């Protein structure tokens, strides 16, 4: 059985993963889903990483799963903890030394063809049940930008098996955009599932199936 370490995205909390956690725990796995200090102006990527590493403790058979902005944190965790597998879900994929605020320009995000959405639910949660979407918004936090201009301390992509999982209906990171960035930065072709940017809320069973299958493919190193 694996220990799934689940890293949420910007302005969010570990609760985002609660339905996936229930699925994985029912199958005998251990889950860890800490709250990152994303509303703390004094916290940057090193402090986010500390939070996750502290939550892992001495657990083994670790599979790190990162949602969206969590992609900036996950490889830093892999530098400090023995990790069997890294899974990036609808992710940002950083390069060494890249600041989160620079990601958009450096990936050519503005040049991608996509619909524009001003409404948070329409952009991030369009396929999440309304009551669950409302709760997600209520639990969310303001994302501090105070240190997002700092270079990511990542020195090189970690020597850990990595999977990228995109969402076919993602309105933030469209499939075409994610395929290009994953190819250019990791040399990987993303797998895909149905749904929008937040599959842990809209399709927790399917996402848990994917995560468990990835872990089974790798097995203990």
């Amino acid at each position: 059985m694996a220990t799934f370490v689940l890293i949420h995205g910007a302005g969010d909390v570990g609760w985002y993963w609660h339905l996936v956690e229930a699925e994985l725990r029912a199958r005998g796995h251990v889950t860890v889903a800490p709250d990152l200090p994303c509303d703390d102006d004094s916290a940057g990527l090193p402090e986010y990483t500390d939070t996750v590493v502290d939550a892992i403790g001495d657990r083994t058979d670790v599979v790190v799963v990162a949602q969206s902005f969590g992609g900036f944190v996950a490889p830093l965790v892999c530098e400090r903890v023995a990790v069997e597998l890294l899974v990036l879900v609808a992710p940002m994929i950083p390069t060494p030394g890249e600041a989160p605020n620079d990601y958009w320009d450096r990936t050519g995000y503005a040049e991608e063809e996509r619909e524009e959405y001003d409404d948070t639910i329409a952009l991030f949660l369009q396929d999440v049940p309304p009551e669950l979407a409302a709760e997600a918004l209520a639990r969310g936090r303001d994302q501090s930008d105070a240190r997002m201009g700092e270079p990511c301390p990542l020195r090189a992509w970690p020597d850990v098996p990595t999977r990228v999982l995109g969402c076919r209906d993602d309105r933030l990171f469209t499939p075409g955009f994610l395929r290009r960035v994953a190819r250019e930065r990791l040399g990987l072709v993303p797998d895909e599932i149905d749904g929008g940017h937040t599959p842990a809320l809209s399709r927790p069973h399917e996402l848990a199936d994917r995560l468990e299958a990835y872990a089974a493919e790798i097995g203990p190193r």
Side-chain angles (χ1 to χ4, degrees), residues 86-131:
L86 171 58
V87 183
L88 305 173
V89 182
M92 299 174 79
I93 304 173
T95 57
E98 182 174 65
N101 283 350
D102 293 336
Y103 186 81
W104 312 99
D105 285 341
R106 293 189 177 187
T107 58
Y109 183 78
E111 301 167 12
E112 289 291 323
E113 290 188 12
R114 65 188 187 284
E115 297 288 336
E116 298 289 341
Y117 297 93
D118 295 327
D119 179 75
T120 300
I121 288 181
L123 179 60
F124 296 103
L125 301 158
Q126 81 270 22
D127 57 342
V128 176
E131 290 186 3

Side-chain angles (χ1 to χ4, degrees), residues 93 162 164 179-190:
I93 304 173
T162 302
V164 179
R179 290 180 200 126
R180 176 174 62 79
V181 174
R183 180 183 69 250
E184 292 173 353
R185 297 192 162 199
L186 297 179
L188 296 177
V189 177

Side-chain angles (χ1 to χ4, degrees), residues 41-52:
D41 287 343
S42 70
L45 291 173
E47 288 72 28
Y48 290 20
T49 305
D50 288 344
T51 298
V52 179

